Amino acid sequence: MSSKPVKTLRSPLGRVRGLGSAKSGVSHWWLQRVTAVALVPLVLILAVVLLRIGTADHAAVVAAFRNPLLAVLAVLAIIAVFWHLRLGLQVVIEDYIHVERSKIAVLLAVTFAVFLVGALCLLSVLKLFFGV
Amino acid sequence: MANTDRPLSPHLQIYRWPLTMASSILHRATGVGLAAGTLLLAWWLVAAAAGPQYFALVQGLLGSWLGRLIMLGFSWALFYHLCNGIRHLAWDLGHGFEKATAKTASILVISASVILTLLAWVLAYSWK
Protein backbone atom coordinates (compact mmCIF):
# COMPACT_ATOMS: atom_id res chain seq x y z
CA MET A 1 0.00 0.00 0.00
CA SER A 2 1.64 3.22 -1.11
CA SER A 3 0.26 6.63 -0.11
CA LYS A 4 0.42 9.57 -2.47
CA PRO A 5 2.74 12.41 -1.43
CA VAL A 6 0.91 15.34 0.19
CA LYS A 7 0.31 18.17 -2.27
CA THR A 8 2.23 21.26 -1.19
CA LEU A 9 3.59 24.40 -2.78
CA ARG A 10 6.58 24.37 -0.45
CA SER A 11 9.73 22.83 -1.88
CA PRO A 12 11.12 19.69 -0.18
CA LEU A 13 14.19 21.70 0.91
CA GLY A 14 11.95 24.42 2.35
CA ARG A 15 10.01 21.82 4.34
CA VAL A 16 13.18 20.29 5.72
CA ARG A 17 14.54 23.69 6.77
CA GLY A 18 11.18 24.48 8.41
CA LEU A 19 11.80 28.22 8.46
CA GLY A 20 8.49 29.32 6.93
CA SER A 21 7.84 32.46 4.90
CA ALA A 22 9.49 34.79 7.41
CA LYS A 23 12.72 32.73 7.10
CA SER A 24 13.19 32.71 10.87
CA GLY A 25 11.18 29.64 11.91
CA VAL A 26 10.55 29.42 15.64
CA SER A 27 13.72 31.33 16.61
CA HIS A 28 11.80 34.29 18.12
CA TRP A 29 9.68 31.97 20.27
CA TRP A 30 12.67 29.82 21.23
CA LEU A 31 14.98 32.71 22.16
CA GLN A 32 12.24 34.19 24.34
CA ARG A 33 12.19 30.86 26.24
CA VAL A 34 15.99 30.56 26.41
CA THR A 35 16.34 34.06 27.88
CA ALA A 36 13.37 33.37 30.21
CA VAL A 37 14.98 30.20 31.61
CA ALA A 38 18.29 32.06 32.06
CA LEU A 39 16.54 34.93 33.83
CA VAL A 40 14.80 32.81 36.50
CA PRO A 41 17.98 32.18 38.56
CA LEU A 42 19.68 35.45 37.49
CA VAL A 43 16.76 37.61 38.63
CA LEU A 44 16.42 35.79 41.96
CA ILE A 45 20.16 36.09 42.75
CA LEU A 46 20.46 39.71 41.63
CA ALA A 47 17.24 40.68 43.45
CA VAL A 48 18.82 39.54 46.73
CA VAL A 49 22.05 41.43 45.90
CA LEU A 50 20.07 44.57 44.97
CA LEU A 51 18.08 44.38 48.20
CA ARG A 52 21.39 44.28 50.09
CA ILE A 53 23.19 47.10 48.24
CA GLY A 54 20.16 49.06 46.98
CA THR A 55 20.08 51.26 50.06
CA ALA A 56 23.85 51.30 50.63
CA ASP A 57 26.23 54.21 49.98
CA HIS A 58 28.39 54.57 46.87
CA ALA A 59 31.49 52.90 48.35
CA ALA A 60 29.56 49.74 49.24
CA VAL A 61 28.02 49.51 45.74
CA VAL A 62 31.45 49.94 44.11
CA ALA A 63 32.92 47.30 46.43
CA ALA A 64 30.12 44.86 45.52
CA PHE A 65 30.80 45.19 41.78
CA ARG A 66 34.53 44.51 42.36
CA ASN A 67 33.47 40.91 42.97
CA PRO A 68 34.06 39.07 39.64
CA LEU A 69 31.17 36.67 40.22
CA LEU A 70 28.68 39.52 40.70
CA ALA A 71 30.15 41.40 37.71
CA VAL A 72 29.77 38.35 35.45
CA LEU A 73 26.22 37.64 36.67
CA ALA A 74 25.34 41.30 36.11
CA VAL A 75 26.72 41.21 32.55
CA LEU A 76 24.77 38.00 31.77
CA ALA A 77 21.59 39.41 33.32
CA ILE A 78 21.89 42.65 31.32
CA ILE A 79 22.25 40.71 28.05
CA ALA A 80 19.34 38.36 28.90
CA VAL A 81 17.07 41.16 30.20
CA PHE A 82 17.49 43.43 27.18
CA TRP A 83 17.21 40.54 24.72
CA HIS A 84 14.05 39.22 26.43
CA LEU A 85 12.61 42.74 26.68
CA ARG A 86 13.27 43.43 23.00
CA LEU A 87 11.51 40.21 21.92
CA GLY A 88 8.55 40.88 24.24
CA LEU A 89 8.05 44.51 23.21
CA GLN A 90 8.27 43.44 19.55
CA VAL A 91 5.24 41.15 19.99
CA VAL A 92 3.26 43.87 21.79
CA ILE A 93 4.09 46.43 19.09
CA GLU A 94 3.18 44.02 16.28
CA ASP A 95 -0.12 43.21 18.04
CA TYR A 96 -1.32 46.78 18.57
CA ILE A 97 0.23 49.00 15.88
CA HIS A 98 -1.37 48.24 12.53
CA VAL A 99 -0.02 51.10 10.41
CA GLU A 100 3.05 49.64 8.74
CA ARG A 101 5.09 52.85 8.79
CA SER A 102 4.47 53.58 12.46
CA LYS A 103 5.05 49.95 13.37
CA ILE A 104 8.48 49.84 11.74
CA ALA A 105 9.40 53.24 13.20
CA VAL A 106 8.48 52.12 16.75
CA LEU A 107 10.24 48.76 16.31
CA LEU A 108 13.40 50.55 15.16
CA ALA A 109 13.19 53.03 18.06
CA VAL A 110 12.82 50.20 20.60
CA THR A 111 15.68 48.24 19.05
CA PHE A 112 18.02 51.24 19.11
CA ALA A 113 16.98 52.15 22.67
CA VAL A 114 17.61 48.55 23.83
CA PHE A 115 21.13 48.55 22.37
CA LEU A 116 21.89 52.06 23.69
CA VAL A 117 20.71 51.47 27.27
CA GLY A 118 22.08 47.90 27.26
CA ALA A 119 25.51 49.15 26.18
CA LEU A 120 25.44 51.88 28.86
CA CYS A 121 24.63 49.23 31.50
CA LEU A 122 27.38 46.89 30.33
CA LEU A 123 29.95 49.71 30.24
CA SER A 124 28.88 50.75 33.76
CA VAL A 125 29.41 47.24 35.15
CA LEU A 126 32.84 47.02 33.45
CA LYS A 127 33.80 50.47 34.76
CA LEU A 128 32.77 49.53 38.31
CA PHE A 129 34.60 46.18 38.08
CA PHE A 130 37.86 47.55 36.67
CA GLY A 131 37.61 50.69 38.81
CA VAL A 132 38.80 53.04 36.06
CA MET B 1 -22.04 46.39 1.21
CA ALA B 2 -21.40 45.37 4.79
CA ASN B 3 -24.25 43.75 6.67
CA THR B 4 -24.38 45.79 9.87
CA ASP B 5 -27.29 43.80 11.34
CA ARG B 6 -25.37 40.58 11.72
CA PRO B 7 -24.78 39.50 15.31
CA LEU B 8 -21.32 40.23 16.68
CA SER B 9 -19.40 37.98 19.02
CA PRO B 10 -19.19 39.54 22.49
CA HIS B 11 -16.12 41.73 22.99
CA LEU B 12 -13.94 42.15 26.10
CA GLN B 13 -16.29 44.51 27.98
CA ILE B 14 -19.17 41.98 27.74
CA TYR B 15 -17.37 39.12 29.45
CA ARG B 16 -17.22 38.72 33.20
CA TRP B 17 -13.47 38.67 33.69
CA PRO B 18 -12.39 35.19 34.72
CA LEU B 19 -9.21 35.05 36.81
CA THR B 20 -7.34 33.30 34.01
CA MET B 21 -8.10 36.19 31.65
CA ALA B 22 -6.84 38.75 34.16
CA SER B 23 -3.68 36.76 34.91
CA SER B 24 -2.99 36.47 31.19
CA ILE B 25 -3.22 40.18 30.36
CA LEU B 26 -1.32 41.01 33.58
CA HIS B 27 1.66 39.09 32.19
CA ARG B 28 1.82 41.42 29.20
CA ALA B 29 1.09 44.53 31.27
CA THR B 30 3.79 43.73 33.83
CA GLY B 31 6.20 42.92 30.99
CA VAL B 32 5.73 46.37 29.43
CA GLY B 33 5.92 47.97 32.89
CA LEU B 34 9.16 46.12 33.64
CA ALA B 35 10.65 47.35 30.36
CA ALA B 36 9.95 50.93 31.47
CA GLY B 37 11.20 50.24 35.01
CA THR B 38 14.41 48.75 33.64
CA LEU B 39 15.29 52.29 32.52
CA LEU B 40 15.28 53.33 36.20
CA LEU B 41 17.55 50.44 37.19
CA ALA B 42 19.84 51.33 34.27
CA TRP B 43 19.92 54.94 35.49
CA TRP B 44 20.89 53.73 38.99
CA LEU B 45 23.67 51.53 37.54
CA VAL B 46 25.04 54.30 35.30
CA ALA B 47 24.93 56.67 38.28
CA ALA B 48 26.97 54.21 40.36
CA ALA B 49 29.58 54.14 37.58
CA ALA B 50 29.49 57.94 37.21
CA GLY B 51 30.65 58.67 40.76
CA PRO B 52 29.60 59.27 44.38
CA GLN B 53 28.02 62.71 43.84
CA TYR B 54 25.71 61.78 40.99
CA PHE B 55 24.97 58.43 42.68
CA ALA B 56 23.82 60.24 45.83
CA LEU B 57 21.45 62.36 43.72
CA VAL B 58 19.88 59.33 41.98
CA GLN B 59 19.80 57.34 45.23
CA GLY B 60 17.97 60.28 46.86
CA LEU B 61 15.38 60.45 44.06
CA LEU B 62 14.78 56.69 44.02
CA GLY B 63 14.64 56.71 47.83
CA SER B 64 11.97 59.44 47.96
CA TRP B 65 8.37 58.43 48.67
CA LEU B 66 7.53 58.57 44.95
CA GLY B 67 10.67 56.59 44.08
CA ARG B 68 9.80 53.98 46.70
CA LEU B 69 6.22 53.75 45.38
CA ILE B 70 7.52 53.17 41.84
CA MET B 71 10.02 50.57 43.09
CA LEU B 72 7.20 48.84 45.02
CA GLY B 73 5.21 48.59 41.80
CA PHE B 74 8.31 47.49 39.90
CA SER B 75 9.15 44.75 42.41
CA TRP B 76 5.60 43.38 42.33
CA ALA B 77 5.58 43.44 38.51
CA LEU B 78 8.93 41.63 38.52
CA PHE B 79 7.74 38.88 40.87
CA TYR B 80 4.44 38.51 39.03
CA HIS B 81 6.13 38.25 35.63
CA LEU B 82 8.66 35.81 37.11
CA CYS B 83 6.03 33.52 38.68
CA ASN B 84 3.68 33.66 35.70
CA GLY B 85 6.67 33.20 33.38
CA ILE B 86 7.46 29.91 35.13
CA ARG B 87 3.80 29.00 34.52
CA HIS B 88 4.30 29.82 30.84
CA LEU B 89 7.29 27.45 30.75
CA ALA B 90 5.07 24.74 32.29
CA TRP B 91 2.51 25.39 29.54
CA ASP B 92 5.28 25.01 26.96
CA LEU B 93 5.90 21.54 28.41
CA GLY B 94 2.20 20.73 28.03
CA HIS B 95 1.14 21.03 31.68
CA GLY B 96 -1.62 22.99 33.41
CA PHE B 97 -4.21 23.53 30.69
CA GLU B 98 -7.21 22.01 32.52
CA LYS B 99 -9.81 24.60 33.57
CA ALA B 100 -9.57 23.91 37.31
CA THR B 101 -5.75 23.74 37.22
CA ALA B 102 -5.55 27.01 35.30
CA LYS B 103 -7.70 28.77 37.90
CA THR B 104 -5.72 27.36 40.83
CA ALA B 105 -2.45 28.33 39.13
CA SER B 106 -3.74 31.89 38.62
CA ILE B 107 -4.51 32.19 42.34
CA LEU B 108 -1.12 30.67 43.19
CA VAL B 109 0.82 33.03 40.90
CA ILE B 110 -0.96 36.15 42.19
CA SER B 111 -0.51 35.09 45.85
CA ALA B 112 3.16 34.19 45.31
CA SER B 113 3.87 37.55 43.67
CA VAL B 114 2.35 39.44 46.62
CA ILE B 115 4.15 37.29 49.21
CA LEU B 116 7.52 37.63 47.42
CA THR B 117 7.05 41.41 47.15
CA LEU B 118 6.29 41.71 50.88
CA LEU B 119 9.25 39.46 51.72
CA ALA B 120 11.59 41.54 49.53
CA TRP B 121 10.54 44.81 51.19
CA VAL B 122 10.79 43.36 54.71
CA LEU B 123 14.31 42.15 53.87
CA ALA B 124 15.27 45.50 52.28
CA TYR B 125 14.21 47.41 55.41
CA SER B 126 15.77 44.92 57.84
CA TRP B 127 19.11 44.96 55.93
CA LYS B 128 19.18 48.73 55.75
Side-chain angles (χ1 to χ4, degrees):
Chain A
M1 209 165 78
S2 66
S3 58
K4 280 188 173 178
V6 184
K7 267 196 177 174
T8 172
L9 289 173
R10 188 156 289 163
S11 72
L13 181 61
R15 286 179 65 198
V16 167
R17 285 185 176 147
L19 296 180
S21 60
K23 305 284 181 276
S24 59
V26 293
S27 73
H28 184 289
W29 183 91
W30 179 245
L31 284 169
Q32 184 121 45
R33 267 69 189 171
V34 172
T35 49
V37 171
L39 279 170
V40 173
L42 284 173
V43 162
L44 285 173
I45 294 167
L46 290 177
V48 174
V49 174
L50 266 183
L51 288 176
R52 274 212 170 274
I53 64 171
T55 49
D57 60 356
H58 186 254
V61 175
V62 172
F65 277 98
R66 300 285 268 174
N67 181 333
L69 182 62
L70 176 63
V72 163
L73 289 178
V75 164
L76 292 176
I78 289 164
I79 294 170
V81 159
F82 282 98
W83 201 340
H84 190 80
L85 178 162
R86 163 68 180 69
L87 294 170
L89 285 182
Q90 184 191 342
V91 175
V92 175
I93 291 162
E94 287 171 349
D95 276 356
Y96 301 133
I97 303 182
H98 303 302
V99 181
E100 197 67 13
R101 246 194 263 189
S102 324
K103 185 171 78 185
I104 289 172
V106 175
L107 280 173
L108 269 179
V110 166
T111 304
F112 291 158
V114 160
F115 274 85
L116 177 68
V117 181
L120 281 171
C121 287
L122 289 175
L123 185 67
S124 298
V125 172
L126 293 179
K127 185 172 184 280
L128 286 167
F129 176 67
F130 289 111
V132 284
Chain B
M1 197 173 163
N3 176 10
T4 49
D5 292 333
R6 70 196 158 87
L8 296 169
S9 62
H11 207 329
L12 286 177
Q13 66 270 30
I14 303 296
Y15 285 108
R16 181 183 62 84
W17 273 57
L19 206 54
T20 42
M21 200 156 117
S23 73
S24 171
I25 193 61
L26 265 181
H27 193 70
R28 177 165 283 201
T30 51
V32 174
L34 286 171
T38 300
L39 290 175
L40 284 181
L41 286 193
W43 188 34
W44 178 85
L45 187 59
V46 170
Q53 275 180 324
Y54 191 62
F55 183 73
L57 172 79
V58 174
Q59 194 81 316
L61 286 171
L62 289 177
S64 67
W65 70 267
L66 183 63
R68 276 168 209 238
L69 190 67
I70 293 171
M71 291 323 285
L72 179 68
F74 181 85
S75 57
W76 172 75
L78 181 69
F79 287 125
Y80 181 84
H81 202 81
L82 180 72
C83 294
N84 204 53
I86 292 169
R87 190 181 174 204
H88 263 278
L89 292 173
W91 282 333
D92 291 337
L93 296 172
H95 303 299
F97 289 111
E98 297 78 15
K99 200 173 161 188
T101 318
K103 193 180 173 187
T104 313
S106 296
I107 296 169
L108 238 128
V109 161
I110 292 168
S111 317
S113 68
V114 173
I115 291 167
L116 283 170
T117 307
L118 288 174
L119 182 71
W121 282 78
V122 167
L123 283 179
Y125 273 96
S126 60
W127 281 340
K128 203 175 169 184

